[in-house]
Amino acid sequence: MAAPELLSDEGYRADGRRPAEIRKVRARMGVFEQADGSAYIEQGNTKALAVVYGPHEMRGSRGKALPERALVNCQFSMATFSTGERRRRPHGDRQAGELALLLRDTFEAAILTHLFPRSQIDIYVQVTETRGAGAGAARCKSHCGFGAAAAWCKSHCGLGSVSGAKVIAVS
């Protein structure tokens, strides 16, 4: 079976976008008042909520505190109704655990954790609807929630090449 073509002969993607055109994005910041940062984001057919608490004192076991930097705690979940397939366990499945680790690694590289020794930053991402772009979209959404909480975060953008054409946000 042949792989689907990313670009048509006319130079358009399957959804009608040009190679350098990103999906329509709608965002609302500060959707949860009690959080330090939060965002609801729609990008294409993917919808997600991201919430950030912290930096704050360590909760639970103080033995996990890192003396030189903040501990970043990430949790990722997909609503049971978010995809075409029904999920029995929205939390705690292997895929959610792997995506939580991916988010944690992303944020540990993006946050200036050395500014907050012996503290904790909690990041929660809930995908409420997705059409296959859950992991990358979740990372973007949580960055927006994090940006609402603090200005000490770096930013990123994806760029690729398809058949010699430069493509923004390849997925």
Side-chain angles (χ1 to χ4, degrees), residues 14 17 29 36 57 59 73 77 79 82 88 97 102 104 135 163:
R17 292 181 292 144
M29 308 289 265
D36 294 311
E57 286 187 26
R59 294 190 181 134
N73 174 42
S77 62
S82 65
R88 288 184 175 198
L102 177 67
R104 187 191 72 201
S163 302

Side-chain angles (χ1 to χ4, degrees), residues 83-120:
T83 65
E85 68 180 56
R86 293 295 181 223
R87 302 170 61 96
R88 288 184 175 198
R89 298 178 61 192
H91 305 288
D93 67 353
R94 194 175 111 208
Q95 181 186 18
E98 289 174 357
L99 291 173
L101 288 175
L102 177 67
L103 283 172
R104 187 191 72 201
D105 291 345
T106 299
F107 282 111
E108 283 181 344
I111 301 168
L112 302 176
T113 56
H114 66 279
L115 297 177
F116 308 101
R118 305 192 65 78
S119 62
Q120 179 175 337

Side-chain angles (χ1 to χ4, degrees), residues 52-65:
V52 178
Y53 296 96
H56 54 76
E57 286 187 26
M58 290 292 298
R59 294 190 181 134
S61 172
R62 297 204 188 274
K64 292 192 289 184

Side-chain angles (χ1 to χ4, degrees), residues 29-169:
M29 308 289 265
V31 293
F32 294 109
E33 291 181 15
Q34 61 273 44
D36 294 311
S38 61
Y40 170 78
I41 309 233
E42 294 180 15
Q43 183 177 10
N45 291 325
T46 303
K47 298 171 177 70
L49 289 163
V51 181
V52 178
Y53 296 96
H56 54 76
E57 286 187 26
M58 290 292 298
R59 294 190 181 134
S61 172
R62 297 204 188 274
K64 292 192 289 184
L66 304 173
E68 333 60 58
R69 63 185 183 87
L71 174 73
V72 178
N73 174 42
C74 291
Q75 290 187 17
F76 175 87
S77 62
M78 294 180 69
T80 55
F81 52 83
S82 65
T83 65
E85 68 180 56
R86 293 295 181 223
R87 302 170 61 96
R88 288 184 175 198
R89 298 178 61 192
H91 305 288
D93 67 353
R94 194 175 111 208
Q95 181 186 18
E98 289 174 357
L99 291 173
L101 288 175
L102 177 67
L103 283 172
R104 187 191 72 201
D105 291 345
T106 299
F107 282 111
E108 283 181 344
I111 301 168
L112 302 176
T113 56
H114 66 279
L115 297 177
F116 308 101
R118 305 192 65 78
S119 62
Q120 179 175 337
I121 299 169
D122 298 313
I123 303 168
Y124 302 94
V125 177
Q126 168 83 44
V127 175
T128 58
E129 184 177 342
T130 184
R131 295 290 186 262
R139 202 169 345 170
C140 288
K141 276 102 177 126
S142 53
H143 268 281
C144 290
F146 205 82
W152 27 268
C153 181
K154 304 171 192 170
S155 184
H156 73 282
C157 178
L159 179 67
S161 176
V162 177
S163 302
K166 291 182 178 78
V167 180
I168 295 175

